[in-house]
Amino acid sequence: VSPMTTEELTLTVKWSGKEHTVRVCGDDTVGELKRRICEVTNVLPKRQKLLYPKVGSKLADDSLLLTQIPLKSSFKMTMIGTVEDDIIVDQVESPDIIDDFEIDQDEAVDVKDKEINKEKLRRRIAQQKIVLRNPCREGKKLLVLDIDYTLFDHRSTAENPRELMRPYIHEFLSAAYAAYDIMIWSATSMKWVELKMGQLGV
């Protein structure tokens, strides 16, 4: 298994003259990457063509795991695609009438019911080892805090972890701990959670 399997990767995607930041994990698929790109560009996955140095046609296979592609944060990815509102269909050349209710039925499937997400969940469950580090205290509610954008200003231009830390974070956590057990959550691997928390002094 590649060491990138559960690690987070931040990619820069160029589209329509602008650059967008997309965060993925190594065990995501190309299809999941396209869905993340759709969230920031509104270009549907089926409309996207991804260009990246030295990977050839691999990005055309939506089922391929990102661990199988040599992606690097230092390289920028280019996306070619058009949002639905900008697509003009000439009814003279395309006489077929399309029922509005039939458009993108697959896009309307609930996230939890998509087979690709079920498969990813099965892989995560098989790989994950649960370690109880600190038992919950009786009578305390649980406060769950995300690292990025909550405790850690992920998009800041600062490079020092202390500068990325939210102001008064230690005072906040100390006050909250009096009434709540605290859980730190992240989509990244546990290794990165421990690294970031160590850098923040938490």
Side-chain angles (χ1 to χ4, degrees):
V1 179
S2 165
M4 181 190 158
T5 300
T6 56
E7 289 182 14
E8 181 185 81
L9 187 66
T10 301
L11 300 173
T12 300
V13 180
K14 297 169 64 178
W15 172 72
S16 192
K18 296 181 180 179
E19 294 187 353
H20 303 272
T21 300
V22 178
R23 294 166 56 211
V24 291
C25 290
D27 63 351
D28 286 335
T29 61
V30 172
E32 178 64 23
L33 169 61
K34 289 181 178 179
R35 278 186 283 278
R36 300 283 178 89
I37 293 174
C38 177
E39 291 175 0
V40 296
T41 64
N42 292 321
V43 177
L44 294 179
K46 65 182 181 181
R47 303 286 186 198
Q48 298 176 22
K49 180 177 181 180
L50 303 179
L51 305 176
Y52 194 79
K54 301 180 181 179
V55 299
S57 61
K58 288 184 177 180
L59 289 171
D61 183 356
D62 287 353
S63 65
L64 196 67
L65 293 177
L66 298 183
T67 48
Q68 299 172 273
I69 305 172
L71 298 177
K72 296 181 180 179
S73 295
S74 57
F75 290 153
K76 293 181 180 179
M77 180 178 291
T78 299
M79 187 269 285
I80 300 174
T82 307
V83 295
E84 296 300 287
D85 290 345
D86 293 341
I87 297 176
I88 300 175
V89 178
D90 188 337
Q91 289 298 326
V92 175
E93 296 182 5
S94 305
D96 295 338
I97 303 300
I98 300 175
D99 187 341
D100 289 345
F101 291 102
E102 294 179 356
I103 295 178
D104 297 328
Q105 284 296 313
D106 57 328
E107 301 286 338
V109 176
D110 196 80
V111 172
K112 67 180 176 59
D113 295 324
K114 291 186 177 181
E115 188 56 39
I116 190 169
N117 291 336
K118 290 181 179 180
E119 177 58 32
K120 185 159 72 167
L121 182 59
R122 284 192 287 268
R123 285 201 309 271
R124 289 279 176 91
I125 291 172
Q127 295 171 0
Q128 186 63 41
K129 294 181 180 179
I130 297 176
V131 178
L132 183 61
R133 294 170 182 267
N134 297 293
C136 294
R137 296 171 295 168
E138 187 174 353
K140 302 292 184 182
K141 293 184 178 180
L142 183 64
L143 175 62
V144 181
L145 300 171
D146 191 3
I147 294 179
D148 295 333
Y149 310 115
T150 305
L151 304 180
F152 188 88
D153 190 1
H154 183 73
R155 288 196 173 181
S156 170
T157 56
E159 296 182 2
N160 186 322
R162 294 287 176 164
E163 295 176 359
L164 295 168
M165 182 171 64
R166 293 292 186 186
Y168 301 104
I169 185 174
H170 293 285
E171 292 83 351
F172 164 70
L173 292 174
S174 296
Y177 189 68
Y180 297 88
D181 281 330
I182 298 174
M183 176 185 289
I184 304 298
W185 180 90
S186 179
T188 61
S189 68
M190 193 63 194
K191 181 179 76 174
W192 291 109
V193 172
E194 292 174 337
L195 177 63
K196 288 179 180 177
M197 290 298 93
Q199 290 174 335
L200 297 179
V202 176

